[in-house]
Amino acid sequence: MSRKLRIWETALRDAHQSLWATRMTSDMMEPIIPTMDAAGYGILGVAGSAVFESCIYYLAEDPWERLRMIQKSAPNTMKNVYIRSLNVLGWDLFADDVFPLTIDTLTRYGINCINTFDALNDTANMAVSIKATKTAGLHAVGSIVFSESPVHTDEHFVEKAKELVALGVDAVQIKDSGALLTPDRVRTLVPAIRTAIGEDIDLHMHTHCTSGLGPLVALESMPLGVDVIHTAISPIAHATSNPPTELIVQEALNQGVDIDVDINKVNEIAEHFRQQAIKNDMPIGAPVAYDPGLFRHQVPGGMRSNLEKQMQEIGLHDKLPAVLEEIVQMREELGWPIMVSPMAQFIGVQALLNVVEAERYTTIQTEIKNYVLGWYGQLAAPVDPNIMDKIADGEEPITDRPGALLEPMVESFRAQHGPFESDEELILAMHFKPKLLDEWREARKVRAGRPTAKTPVATLIKELAHRPDVSYVFVEKGSTRVSHVA
């Protein structure tokens, strides 16, 4: 069967999350979004938990206003938000009633596609989000997170795909966020899942370039039955990001694949983000060498860079090789958890503790204990009995779906912490601490009164005008030096 290939552009979410620590501002993206809307993309990925967090923690932006702006600038293209199966847009466990509240609210901002994923590929955890998505009349994508282990076989992933189809998804995504797929594995996995889900369900390929194989993986999947390939515009592609849009689109055109993307507009989009990278001193993505070590520890690229930085700051950088080897051992002991958020972060911290303390598992994170007790869902394989005894400390694992054990919380939260001016305010209050939101609101007020100038120097001068406490300024670039004493 000849299939039309669609492109899911990740520039507005995953690409800058991977390369720019989710620091792309709305001002950096707004001018080019109408062109993106006219470029023929199948889907624009626009938000997820990291975008909400970055807006609140770092950018002093309103994430809802960003979504409104994107909808106004790109009304014709499907727009997606990622939802975590147990955590919605955050890290805490949320009751089932938070999902329809959040998804219904997102629809007001032109979001018409929800991609649900679960860190353990426990589709029972995903059912509530998928049901809420379908009830709202949105396009439901269910993700299968790829991993390498003795239990993560093609047969395992095929069963997960069938479970997602039974839940009523419109599309199944192979989510290779760890960049662990190889061209050889693609040749067996993609046809197997394509056959399992049938011809009426879309199949997505989502991979990263951390191993150096991302572009090859995406190209290899193209003739094997995928409907959608996730790509990043080239200035924010490669490295730990996604394969470059231009490469995939051009190769599809070369092969005579049915694709609607306008390569000229794609080149215009690329130039815009290239200039934004230069203007804002952001890295431009570049191909990386093949890294076989990644397939052992499976630590995602973004997490590894953060881990290295944190260990450097506390004087433990020399312990990094030992921590990576500890992660390898821990995955086997803990039933082969997938190195994806939030599990990757939990395992990384526990591995560091195991390395620096006299005895492994002397200190046990609450999250690791909750994992072995089933509070994140069904494990892919049993935990080593000796390790289980040490971590569980006599507690019995739960046998039900975690969300089913939590009381409905929306109305009780509203009564206890309200009143709230809107559902948007309620959702933010459920995901972020009151003190943080107060600081964010104050930062928003300050930011509103300080328009960003056209050049970095002009922006600096405008900022200093609001800072009477600054008495001395020294600026140096190359051989040019400027100083001022108030």
Side-chain angles (χ1 to χ4, degrees), residues 146 174-187 189-190 204-224 226 228-231 243-244 247-248 290 295:
F146 182 77
I174 301 172
K175 181 177 171 63
D176 180 31
S177 49
L180 301 169
L181 272 172
T182 65
D184 284 346
R185 187 67 183 271
V186 165
R187 294 185 197 107
L189 180 63
V190 171
H204 292 227
M205 171 56 69
H206 176 104
T207 190
H208 285 249
C209 301
T210 318
S211 69
L213 298 179
L216 291 175
V217 165
L219 291 171
E220 191 68 36
S221 72
M222 191 184 300
L224 297 178
V226 298
V228 181
I229 296 180
H230 297 216
T231 65
L247 172 66
I248 304 304
Y290 173 64
F295 295 87

Side-chain angles (χ1 to χ4, degrees), residues 199-328:
E199 296 296 331
D200 296 330
I201 304 293
D202 283 346
L203 180 59
H204 292 227
M205 171 56 69
H206 176 104
T207 190
H208 285 249
C209 301
T210 318
S211 69
L213 298 179
L216 291 175
V217 165
L219 291 171
E220 191 68 36
S221 72
M222 191 184 300
L224 297 178
V226 298
D227 301 282
V228 181
I229 296 180
H230 297 216
T231 65
I233 203 70
S234 59
I236 37 179
H238 290 300
T240 55
S241 185
N242 314 106
T245 302
E246 297 95 312
L247 172 66
I248 304 304
V249 171
Q250 191 60 62
E251 186 56 28
L253 293 171
N254 292 345
Q255 294 184 19
V257 174
D258 188 3
I259 185 171
D260 291 334
V261 177
D262 185 332
I263 192 65
N264 293 320
K265 284 187 169 57
V266 167
N267 290 333
E268 182 180 344
I269 295 163
E271 182 58 25
H272 169 83
F273 285 113
R274 185 173 293 106
Q275 293 304 317
Q276 289 298 318
I278 295 168
K279 177 181 176 181
N280 294 279
D281 196 25
M282 296 292 192
I284 292 178
V288 297
Y290 173 64
D291 179 12
L294 176 65
F295 295 87
R296 280 181 47 76
H297 55 71
Q298 302 190 21
V299 174
M303 176 189 163
R304 176 163 178 170
S305 61
N306 288 335
L307 184 63
E308 289 180 0
K309 181 179 179 181
Q310 291 162 2
M311 292 181 69
Q312 183 77 46
E313 290 172 349
I314 60 178
L316 293 173
H317 189 261
D318 61 314
K319 302 288 187 183
L320 180 62
V323 170
L324 295 177
E325 282 304 308
E326 176 65 18
I327 288 172
V328 175

Side-chain angles (χ1 to χ4, degrees), residues 52 56 62-64 423-433 437 440-441:
F52 273 74
I56 301 296
D62 186 335
W64 303 108
D423 288 340
E424 289 86 344
E425 287 291 311
L426 170 60
I427 291 167
L428 292 182
M430 296 177 82
H431 283 83
F432 300 98
K433 301 297 183 185
L437 288 177
W440 167 69
R441 292 186 184 99

Side-chain angles (χ1 to χ4, degrees), residues 159-178:
E159 287 306 309
K160 294 298 177 182
K162 290 179 179 178
E163 291 170 10
L164 289 174
V165 172
L167 291 175
V169 298
D170 300 292
V172 171
Q173 174 183 283
I174 301 172
K175 181 177 171 63
D176 180 31
S177 49

Side-chain angles (χ1 to χ4, degrees), residues 445-473:
K445 292 177 185 177
V446 172
R447 185 176 184 272
R450 302 185 192 179
T452 302
K454 293 184 178 180
T455 68
V457 172
T459 301
L460 174 63
I461 293 171
K462 282 180 175 288
E463 176 66 21
L464 290 172
H466 292 270
R467 296 286 298 276
D469 55 311
V470 177
S471 59
Y472 176 76
V473 177

Side-chain angles (χ1 to χ4, degrees), residues 11-13 15-17 19-33 36 46 50-52 54-63 65-67 69-70 73 236 272-273 275-277 279-282 444 447 450-453 459:
L12 305 183
R13 188 200 70 86
H16 72 93
Q17 180 176 328
L19 287 191
W20 295 355
T22 330
R23 297 300 194 273
M24 184 185 290
T25 66
S26 296
D27 288 343
M28 293 165 68
M29 61 179 71
E30 184 172 8
I32 200 62
I33 292 178
M36 298 177 77
V46 299
V51 167
F52 273 74
S54 186
C55 285
I56 301 296
Y57 278 96
Y58 307 113
L59 302 179
E61 287 193 22
D62 186 335
E65 286 302 316
R66 175 178 293 194
L67 294 180
M69 175 275 292
I70 293 174
S73 300
I236 37 179
H272 169 83
F273 285 113
Q275 293 304 317
Q276 289 298 318
K279 177 181 176 181
N280 294 279
D281 196 25
M282 296 292 192
R444 291 275 297 147
R447 185 176 184 272
R450 302 185 192 179
T452 302
T459 301

